[in-house]
Amino acid sequence: MAANEDQEMELEALRSIYEGDGCFRELSPVSFQYRIGENGDPKAFLIEVSWPETYPQTAPVISMDAFFNNTISSAIKRSILDKLMVEVEANLGTAMTYTLFEYAKDNKELFMENQPVNTVTSVSNSISIGTPDAPANKKKDKKEQLSKTQKRKLADKTDHKGELPRGWNWVDVIKHLSKTGSKDDE
């Protein structure tokens, strides 16, 4: 069987197995992501598997570079990838994407046992937007103050939502046409 036929069969199998599974995502016919753990779980991680042209005779490319994994330390990522590569070597020559995802699901606690739970705060603290030297207590811009008369006129023009009524700036079509006349009058 050719590599492309093996890939097509595995692709069909993956689609049928993971149909409706929110953790599985097909990025392309040769690239897949699977989230191990629930969305709010601090020890959840995402595995991306991509097939080269000669897959399954050659090893797939396994990545944990997704944004979802930013809270995981690089040592933990390396450890997970090393353990998955051992599994890849054992299954070389056979369809192994499902096997890798299931292996990762079964060993999630073992993979993430050294991952601290409060990593999210340290990552979010290291990301800063804007200039760090800007003073935090900057004065707010004052709104323009309206007098009672100005407020009353504004309220008379607008509806209860503060919007001008429909057609407030329309040209009176009949008045305009009566001044310009029609082409038949000439």
Side-chain angles (χ1 to χ4, degrees), residues 23-167:
C23 294
F24 178 77
R25 196 163 136 209
E26 181 181 339
L27 303 176
S28 73
V30 295
S31 184
F32 312 93
Q33 283 184 342
Y34 196 83
R35 184 182 72 237
I36 311 296
E38 296 301 315
N39 244 345
D41 186 2
K43 293 193 175 192
F45 58 94
L46 192 93
I47 298 175
E48 186 173 327
V49 176
S50 301
W51 299 339
E53 284 186 33
T54 56
Y55 172 84
Q57 280 66 37
T58 58
V61 177
I62 303 172
S63 170
M64 291 189 68
D65 294 333
F67 182 76
F68 188 86
N69 295 333
N70 278 353
T71 59
I72 301 171
S73 70
S74 57
I76 299 288
K77 287 181 192 177
R78 175 77 356 236
S79 168
I80 293 171
L81 289 174
D82 290 343
K83 290 173 183 170
L84 287 173
M85 287 312 290
V86 169
E87 197 68 19
V88 166
E89 295 299 322
N91 291 302
L92 206 56
T94 62
M96 67 182 90
T97 305
Y98 173 77
T99 308
L100 292 174
F101 290 156
E102 291 303 308
Y103 176 75
K105 279 191 338 190
D106 294 341
N107 295 299
K108 173 190 168 225
E109 293 302 320
L110 177 69
F111 290 165
M112 300 299 282
E113 66 187 356
N114 295 328
Q115 174 68 16
V117 178
N118 62 354
T119 308
V120 175
T121 56
S122 65
V123 169
S124 63
N125 287 341
S126 66
I127 299 172
S128 62
I129 299 172
T131 56
D133 299 331
N137 53 358
K138 207 175 194 182
K139 289 185 179 180
K140 293 183 179 177
D141 294 335
K142 286 187 175 181
K143 287 188 176 180
E144 182 181 337
Q145 295 291 332
L146 299 176
S147 67
K148 278 187 177 182
T149 311
Q150 290 172 323
K151 289 178 185 176
R152 192 176 304 120
K153 284 182 183 178
L154 187 62
D156 289 342
K157 282 192 227 175
T158 60
D159 61 5
H160 67 283
K161 295 179 187 172
E163 298 173 358
L164 294 169
R166 182 170 180 250

